[in-house]
Amino acid sequence: MQHTIVMTGASRGIGRIAAEQILRRSPDVHLLVVARGSSGAHLAAELGAGGYAVSHVPADLGSLDSVRSAAAEIRERRERGDLPPLRGFVGNAGMQYTNALTEGPDGFESTFAINVLANHLFVRLLQDLFVAPARIVITASDTHFGDFKHNMGMVPGPAWTSPDVLARTGAFPRPGTAAGGRTAYSTSKLAAIYLVHEYARRLPAGIDAVAYNPGFVPGTGLARNAGPVSRFAMRRILPVMTLTPFATGRDAAGRYLADIVIGTTEAPTGSYVDRTRAARSSEESYDAQREGELWDAAERFTAAFAA
């Protein structure tokens, strides 16, 4: 049966590999990629080479108004019959800044806006379009563990506090430093897992929600806002770590993501998939009170854009 999967973060890194894998292995898929500006048309043309069904909608994920516009276009196309039924959403786009002071157009700290609120708004605006069985996959990170085993000391662990504080700039110690930006990143990935747990509780039966951890994947575009030394290390030095158990190659991480999206990897709703299998996330990530508080805050933050 023809069906649509909406995907963010398909233009580079593991998302690009995953998009190609999904199309090759699922001939009934219409892949709708969300990308900034004119890059979406170029991406759709590249991915669609060979006869695959690919289209795009433009969106700047740092702007909730732009996310709303993209979701409205998807809805209009579905209602016109231009898209087959919606059976998947892949929130793979992510950003890590060199500080925790970058503010988006809606007044939210940009890491939180892109990694948390953009996904939440897409899920909520498209929720009634999903046809079961459907799957929502949100890319998380093992940086949310906050220990040396999972991040080798490269990223500080999350520093959870009230979502009203986390959503604004300056939420962490030394917010103007790279450490502040990395703390914002790990905390946003913990938030993503909290929301996946809430989706599992709240979405209708047959719409599964899964968090995916690709592990440490050097050579992606995640650090594109970092300084030149860090970017050089991510591109040229750290990829050697994929020869060890401490890192995942980009191609492998992309295949693993595709496996989850198309259902090759078994993952019950609410689960955390560590590369190829469902596993437990950090003990901190199982906190029903925080999950409920974050849900309420995310609903409040996005209410003006969901009306």
Side-chain angles (χ1 to χ4, degrees):
M1 174 184 174
Q2 287 282 331
H3 60 277
T4 300
I5 295 175
V6 176
M7 183 174 186
T8 71
S11 61
R12 57 168 63 90
I14 68 174
R16 179 58 178 263
I17 301 298
E20 293 170 352
Q21 289 282 320
I22 290 166
L23 290 167
R24 290 173 188 163
R25 296 160 58 189
S26 300
D28 292 336
V29 163
H30 181 114
L31 186 66
L32 195 160
V33 294
V34 180
R36 294 184 66 169
S38 60
S39 65
H42 182 67
L43 173 62
E46 287 186 345
L47 290 172
Y52 299 116
V54 187
S55 61
H56 77 283
V57 292
D60 175 359
L61 299 182
S63 163
L64 295 181
D65 191 55
S66 183
V67 171
R68 172 176 60 181
S69 296
E73 181 174 337
I74 294 169
R75 177 175 294 278
E76 290 170 5
R77 290 176 59 185
R78 177 70 193 110
E79 290 173 350
R80 290 197 307 264
D82 296 341
L83 290 174
L86 181 61
R87 294 182 63 181
F89 173 77
V90 187
N92 178 64
M95 184 60 73
Q96 179 179 303
Y97 288 89
T98 56
N99 58 64
L101 296 173
T102 305
E103 185 176 275
D106 308 305
F108 300 110
E109 191 274 322
S110 292
T111 313
F112 193 87
I114 294 170
N115 296 357
V116 182
L117 295 181
N119 286 330
H120 184 69
L121 187 56
F122 262 127
V123 168
R124 296 293 278 148
L125 290 175
L126 300 178
Q127 176 180 326
D128 64 319
L129 296 181
F130 284 109
V131 175
R135 174 167 282 189
I136 295 163
V137 182
I138 307 296
T139 299
S141 167
D142 54 7
T143 59
H144 85 278
F145 280 89
D147 57 17
F148 188 85
K149 175 183 176 182
H150 291 90
N151 63 33
M152 295 169 286
M154 293 186 293
V155 180
W160 193 262
T161 186
S162 164
D164 287 278
V165 175
L166 296 174
R168 308 297 176 179
T169 58
F172 308 102
R174 299 187 295 151
T177 67
R182 291 169 184 161
T183 303
Y185 176 79
S186 63
T187 304
S188 75
K189 292 304 184 178
L190 176 61
I193 296 171
Y194 285 152
L195 283 180
V196 164
H197 292 166
E198 283 295 305
Y199 297 148
R201 295 185 185 104
R202 296 172 183 264
L203 293 178
I207 305 176
D208 294 345
V210 177
Y212 165 59
N213 166 46
F216 173 57
V217 186
T220 68
L222 181 64
R224 56 189 176 273
N225 282 330
V229 174
S230 295
R231 293 199 305 272
F232 177 81
M234 283 290 288
R235 288 196 308 266
R236 303 299 183 186
I237 299 174
L238 295 178
V240 176
M241 294 183 64
T242 59
L243 301 176
T244 76
F246 297 105
T248 310
R250 185 182 64 177
D251 289 355
R255 290 196 306 272
Y256 300 157
L257 175 55
D259 287 341
I260 300 166
V261 173
I262 66 179
T264 302
T265 297
E266 294 185 8
T269 188
S271 62
Y272 172 83
V273 177
D274 182 9
R275 299 169 179 85
T276 61
R277 62 184 182 84
R280 279 190 68 82
S281 48
S282 71
E283 291 305 313
E284 186 180 11
S285 70
Y286 299 95
D287 188 317
Q289 180 175 341
R290 288 183 181 180
E291 291 162 2
E293 290 173 350
L294 179 60
W295 173 275
D296 292 341
E299 290 285 281
R300 182 160 35 87
F301 297 151
T302 59
F305 305 93

